[in-house]
Structure formats: structure tokens, C-alpha cells
Amino acid sequence: MEVVNQRSALLSNFEVLTLLRELESDHLARTRTALRIKKEEESVGSPTKNHAPIEEVLENLRTIEVEAIQYLAADYQPTASQTEAGIQQLTRGLSPYNLNKAEKLQIVNLAPTEAVELYVIVEELEDRFGARIDDILSTVRESLTQPAPAASRPSPVVSMTDRTRKTEEKGYAANDIAWDYEENELVFDDTGEGAGIEGDLDVEDD
């Protein structure tokens, strides 16, 4: 097998998102134009002309493109805080640190702002950079238009014991509820005529 077009560069998530959005916009524009022309021809009653065929896009490919855009544009992704100029600034700022291409790409994609995030990206981080770790993180922060979105924290779980304690403190414990007798309450008398008698359901012998 022969490689015709050798890959000469790596694309960041921001660049992929920009490209997908351009393709999406172009596809929607061509589709709207084709539908508008067809509708105009049908309204005047003229026969439909053979226009240049619209490039057919496979449904599975469109699904992948849409889902990729949704994932890369999510609020928790650093792409929301990145710009083309910021990425260029970041790559230039990382040049003195002797990082390989894969490490630079991951730093651009993940935009780590904490040391713990950088540890999972760069191999032997502390041995290679030592006190310069904070400088790398500062370079990343300066390239972002706003702080990178933090993961949403789950709401604290309140145990049943805490809820019961709070309820008792407010004086609304279930045991404190008193049931008052109502004067007009109906009382069913099960004595006298029609009262049930033991054995009244027995079958009498003829």
C-alpha cells in the first residue's frame, strides 16, 4: 500500500469543530437554495429543470458530523473558551518546554489549568519540568478567553437521619401529631337488629 497524501500536521479539537461547522453551514445553505428553487418552479407551474445535482451526503455521515459538533461544542469542553489566536499563542508559548507533538496536542485539546490535569497528559512531568509546571499552566490560562468550564458538582446527599433530625427540630415530628375527637363524627353501632351473630352464615339443614 502506498501513502498518497502524507499527514503533515495534527488538528486540534477546535480546528475540527471549526471545519465541521463550516461543512454544516455549507450543506444547509445548498439544501435551502435547492428547495427554494424547486418551490419557485412549482409555484409558477413551469417544468422542473435539471439543475446541478446536490452532492449526496450519506445519512450515517451526517449523523456523525452532527454528534461530533454537539460533543466538541459542549459546555464542559475547552473549545468554548478557545479562539484561533489563543491556540496560536498557546503553541508558541509551549515551544520552550521541549514537548512532543502528541503532548502539545493534548494540552491544546484539554486546556489543563490544574497540575493534576497536566500529570495525566505529560509523561514524567515532575522529573522533566519540576518548578516550571506552574509556568505551563499559566501559559494555558492566558490562551483562554475565559476560565475553562469546571465539571458540575453533584448535589449533596441528605440522609434520612439528617432529614428526621431537622424535622424534629422544627417540631413537626410524626409522633407529635395529635388526633382530636370530633363531636359530630359518625359512630357505627353494630348492635341490635341486623347485628352479626356468630354462626349466622351457617347453612341450615332442611
Side-chain angles (χ1 to χ4, degrees):
M1 183 177 65
E2 181 182 359
V3 178
V4 179
N5 296 322
Q6 184 178 2
R7 183 182 60 186
S8 59
L10 300 173
L11 292 178
S12 65
N13 288 349
F14 179 82
E15 293 170 310
V16 173
L17 177 60
T18 302
L19 176 60
L20 289 176
R21 281 175 170 170
E22 291 177 357
L23 294 175
E24 175 77 3
S25 177
D26 182 62
H27 173 75
L28 293 177
R30 287 187 285 109
T31 302
R32 283 194 295 264
T33 301
L35 293 176
R36 178 178 56 81
I37 294 175
K38 182 178 179 180
K39 186 176 181 180
E40 290 176 354
E41 292 177 349
E42 291 177 350
S43 62
V44 298
S46 60
T48 305
K49 300 179 181 179
N50 293 328
H51 300 284
I54 301 177
E55 182 181 356
E56 184 178 357
V57 180
L58 297 178
E59 183 178 355
N60 292 340
L61 177 60
R62 289 282 300 140
T63 301
I64 294 174
E65 289 179 350
V66 172
E67 291 182 352
I69 291 175
Q70 292 176 349
Y71 171 75
L72 294 176
D75 294 337
Y76 56 83
Q77 292 286 359
T79 51
S81 305
Q82 291 178 327
T83 61
E84 183 177 353
I87 291 179
Q88 293 177 356
Q89 174 186 343
L90 177 58
T91 53
R92 287 194 299 266
L94 295 176
S95 299
Y97 297 103
N98 195 25
L99 296 163
N100 58 46
K101 290 184 178 180
E103 291 170 341
K104 287 183 180 179
L105 181 63
Q106 289 300 312
I107 291 176
V108 171
N109 287 340
L110 301 177
T113 56
E114 301 293 339
V116 65
E117 299 172 320
L118 200 57
Y119 269 98
V120 300
I121 298 175
V122 181
E123 187 176 0
E124 299 178 354
L125 175 66
E126 192 168 355
D127 295 336
R128 292 168 58 187
F129 301 104
R132 295 196 298 170
I133 295 177
D134 291 336
D135 297 336
I136 298 177
L137 296 175
S138 298
T139 303
V140 176
R141 295 190 191 100
E142 292 172 358
S143 68
L144 301 175
T145 57
Q146 56 186 4
S152 58
R153 297 181 179 178
S155 57
V157 178
V158 180
S159 62
M160 294 302 297
T161 304
D162 295 337
R163 292 181 180 177
T164 304
R165 185 182 300 110
K166 292 180 179 179
T167 304
E168 291 177 351
E169 291 176 356
K170 293 181 179 180
Y172 296 120
N175 295 333
D176 295 338
I177 300 177
W179 298 94
D180 298 332
Y181 171 77
E182 296 183 4
E183 184 178 357
N184 298 327
E185 183 179 3
L186 295 178
V187 178
F188 294 93
D189 186 4
D190 199 21
T191 60
E193 184 178 359
I197 302 175
E198 183 179 358
D200 61 351
L201 295 180
D202 295 340
V203 179
E204 297 180 357
D205 297 334
D206 294 336

